[in-house]
Amino acid sequence: MKYPAVRNYFGGDFVSADLPTLDVYDPSAGAVISQVPLSSRHEVDRAVEGARAAFPGWSGTPIKERVQVFYRYKALLERHIDELAALVTEENGKIASEARAEILKSAELTEFACSLPQITPGEVLEVSRGVECRIERFPLGVVAAITPFNFPNMVPNWSIPNAIALGNCLVLKPSEQVPLSAGRIAELLREAGLPEGVLQVVHGGKEAVEAICDHPGIEAISFVGSTKIAKVVYRRGTAALKRVLALGGAKNHLIVMPDADVEMTASNVVASMSGCAGQRCMAASVMVAVDRTDHIIRSMVEHARRMVPGQDIGPVISAEARRRIEGYIAEAEAAGAEVLVDGRNTRVPGREGGYYLGPTIIDRVTPDMRIAQEEVFGPVLVIIRSRDVDEALAVEQASAYGNAASVFTESGGVARYVMERASAGMVGVNVGVPVPREPFGFGGWNESKFGVGDITGRGSIEFWTRSKKMTTKWNREAGVNWMS
Ligand code: NAD
């Protein structure tokens, strides 16, 4: 095996344990590259215990000192970008440029954490003569982050820098499908000077997640993954009286107007649906083509056909994922949809064992089809035709999800109209992947997010802290009875 068996990371060390394991695959070859332990409640207890022991020291360290770790961590991410990106490619399959972009995004997230002392100084006001009210933020204690397979480096970094810089100690439970990057993140943070126990990494699946939800020593959980599991974690975590922010799946709609710039729209739409092999919660999934847009669709088909699997598009995560995605395509075809570009039966020479699927564009899909409603999570774009912008918006608004939506048009009025009415937390104009960048937070609506606030940016400050409201009176002239 290329990599030694993955180990949990407790108290600043990687520790072995006699636990059942799962194989870890390189999706581009279909080969086993490592094994991941499936931790039980016992390991989660141990992770929490170590984090709790570290909490007094870490939360008592001034925030300006705490963020020094993250300045160094950011520099390490940048220095090791080639190696970190290669590891992401190996365990997740995404192509080199996408993996590099992921690490750069991790660095940007860390940069935001470094700015926290500048933007969280608290508030103070003299509310009456000699009487002062102030608000200060305090960390919660031990918190947890549970992450999905599609961004092995970036999604853990949605939570790690902010939660830890704000004074919490964090237990990370990475996806069992991509557990390798988490180990390097832990090593780099150790090198950056993070004290032992402040970050604990516990590997596993269902049992570890349930133990995190139930654990009385964990105050808050950030979860990123499918809607089905987001609901489980939200319900179970809040039932145990924790704060939970659970980000779920997506079904993102791009509304394309007939006046849209042809080349820019075609290239953006295809890049959005095929980037990271469509395994992005911000990927285009449905294009709602308004009125006469055949010329744009023709250009999209040309773009998609020019893409070389293995070079421009990586594999999907597993053989099972590929089967599931191909099933959606076959079902839509059987129901009368027209497959304009067919990514099925893609083989990459020399990597015959890889789980490749080429970009797929399906026209004449109707809103009642399963492929139009459910998350496919592969490089598949369906086209639904509509007569006008209101009909297009109705398709978007009917979705159970609400992560992202975008409109392609040259009209400012239409753009504003769609931005105001789309039922999604992140909307764009002439942008295929409307991911907000720091300091703006990331978070969807509807079944794409459960809980209050956003997972990154300013929204995350509220989530990872609790405020204390302090009233002081030092002025005897203010009287003895002031609001008493
Ligand atoms: P997943 O829900 O299968 O897994 C996410 C996490 O939950 C993993 O750590 C996994 O170990 C754990 N888990 C899996 N099954 C469980 C169970 N039965 N009980 C308890 N825990 C369980 O998601 P995935 O397949 O790893 O990731 C893809 C999904 O994540 C897609 O739906 C995608 O849209 C979503 N996603 C959403 C966002 C967002 O910001 N909204 C971002 C990235 C990914």
Side-chain angles (χ1 to χ4, degrees):
M1 241 171 311
K2 175 153 186 196
Y3 293 95
V6 173
R7 288 177 293 168
N8 289 331
Y9 180 78
F10 296 153
D13 274 321
F14 292 95
V15 298
S16 304
D18 190 16
L19 291 167
T21 58
L22 275 184
D23 289 336
V24 180
Y25 289 86
D26 168 358
S28 75
V32 176
I33 52 172
S34 184
Q35 286 187 317
V36 61
L38 294 175
S39 298
S40 67
R41 279 174 189 273
H42 173 72
E43 282 69 40
V44 172
D45 284 347
R46 203 171 148 189
V48 175
E49 225 169 84
R52 192 186 287 168
F55 181 67
W58 183 245
S59 58
T61 305
I63 188 167
K64 274 174 168 284
E65 273 179 50
R66 291 197 299 253
V67 300
Q68 297 311 313
V69 170
F70 290 99
Y71 279 105
R72 294 190 288 270
Y73 175 59
K74 178 174 180 284
L76 288 169
L77 287 172
E78 287 160 349
R79 190 178 322 146
H80 293 280
I81 185 165
D82 292 338
E83 168 231 326
L84 295 167
L87 192 58
V88 165
T89 293
E90 200 144 25
E91 61 179 341
N92 169 278
K94 63 183 70 175
I95 59 172
S97 56
E98 293 167 345
R100 280 181 76 83
E102 177 169 345
I103 310 301
L104 288 173
K105 185 68 202 178
S106 293
E108 188 183 15
L109 291 156
T110 307
E111 181 181 270
F112 176 78
C114 292
S115 75
L116 284 168
Q118 322 306 327
I119 60 176
T120 53
E123 294 168 28
V124 60
L125 182 71
E126 187 183 42
V127 292
S128 185
R129 193 168 308 146
V131 182
E132 180 187 287
C133 279
R134 58 194 292 141
I135 294 183
E136 288 182 24
R137 300 211 152 267
F138 289 78
L140 301 173
V142 178
V143 299
I146 301 164
T147 56
F149 79 79
N150 62 331
F151 285 91
N153 192 298
M154 180 191 79
V155 173
N157 280 305
W158 275 0
S159 293
I160 292 172
N162 291 355
I164 291 183
L166 288 165
N168 300 287
C169 293
L170 185 133
V171 176
L172 172 68
K173 207 300 287 172
S175 163
E176 64 275 42
Q177 291 180 282
V178 295
L180 299 171
S181 292
R184 282 300 285 142
I185 289 171
E187 281 174 342
L188 293 182
L189 278 165
R190 182 169 63 186
E191 193 178 334
L194 192 71
E196 60 189 46
V198 176
L199 173 71
Q200 306 273 72
V201 184
V202 63
H203 291 282
K206 186 169 186 279
E207 191 179 344
V209 169
E210 290 178 352
I212 288 171
C213 292
D214 298 344
H215 202 295
I218 294 177
E219 307 298 332
I221 303 172
S222 71
F223 170 90
V224 182
S226 61
T227 291
K228 183 176 161 214
I229 309 301
K231 285 181 180 172
V232 169
V233 169
Y234 189 78
R235 289 201 176 105
R236 198 161 173 148
T238 53
L241 305 177
K242 300 180 199 318
R243 279 183 198 188
V244 181
L245 184 59
L247 272 58
K251 189 82 189 164
N252 304 314
H253 292 66
L254 303 184
I255 296 176
V256 175
M257 302 301 293
D259 70 337
D261 180 277
V262 181
E263 179 55 28
M264 182 270 291
T265 303
S267 62
N268 269 256
V269 173
V270 172
S272 174
M273 61 79 80
S274 63
C276 298
Q279 301 173 122
R280 281 190 291 196
C281 63
M282 295 295 279
S285 185
V286 178
M287 166 174 157
V288 194
V290 178
D291 200 18
R292 282 184 219 143
T293 38
D294 284 336
H295 58 302
I296 300 172
I297 294 171
R298 272 196 301 277
S299 176
M300 282 163 44
V301 166
E302 283 164 23
H303 274 277
R305 289 208 174 118
R306 277 202 295 271
M307 294 184 74
V308 180
Q311 178 189 304
D312 304 318
I313 178 169
V316 294
I317 190 70
S318 63
E320 190 209 332
R322 184 170 62 182
R323 259 196 308 278
R324 191 197 68 240
I325 298 162
E326 287 177 346
Y328 274 109
I329 301 169
E331 188 182 304
E333 196 174 28
E338 189 185 340
V339 182
L340 300 180
V341 184
D342 193 346
R344 288 171 291 183
N345 303 314
T346 293
R347 296 289 172 268
V348 174
R351 281 183 259 168
E352 283 74 13
Y355 314 127
Y356 287 95
L357 191 72
T360 299
I361 300 178
I362 310 176
D363 200 0
R364 309 285 163 197
V365 168
T366 51
D368 56 310
M369 291 183 191
R370 215 161 62 91
I371 200 169
Q373 295 174 4
E374 296 179 8
E375 181 175 44
V376 176
F377 222 53
V380 179
L381 181 79
V382 303
I383 302 173
I384 295 178
R385 305 285 185 142
S386 77
R387 278 171 302 210
D388 56 36
V389 71
D390 287 312
E391 205 176 288
L393 272 167
V395 171
E396 191 279 335
Q397 289 158 346
S399 173
Y401 297 100
N403 225 31
S406 219
V407 58
F408 287 80
T409 181
E410 292 299 292
S411 158
V414 170
R416 182 73 206 174
Y417 190 79
V418 172
M419 278 207 291
E420 281 177 11
R421 287 165 181 76
S423 183
M426 294 171 279
V427 296
V429 175
N430 296 326
V431 178
V433 184
V435 175
R437 292 186 61 172
E438 277 38 55
F440 299 97
F442 187 102
W445 282 8
N446 310 328
E447 300 232 318
S448 293
K449 192 188 80 180
F450 305 95
V452 178
D454 290 325
I455 198 162
T456 63
R458 288 177 186 274
S460 73
I461 298 169
E462 188 82 26
F463 184 73
W464 292 123
T465 58
R466 50 190 170 171
S467 66
K468 190 173 279 188
K469 284 65 66 179
M470 303 167 170
T471 303
T472 52
K473 173 160 69 70
W474 290 108
N475 181 351
R476 288 187 193 284
E477 289 84 73
V480 281
N481 282 329
W482 184 81
M483 280 183 70
S484 58

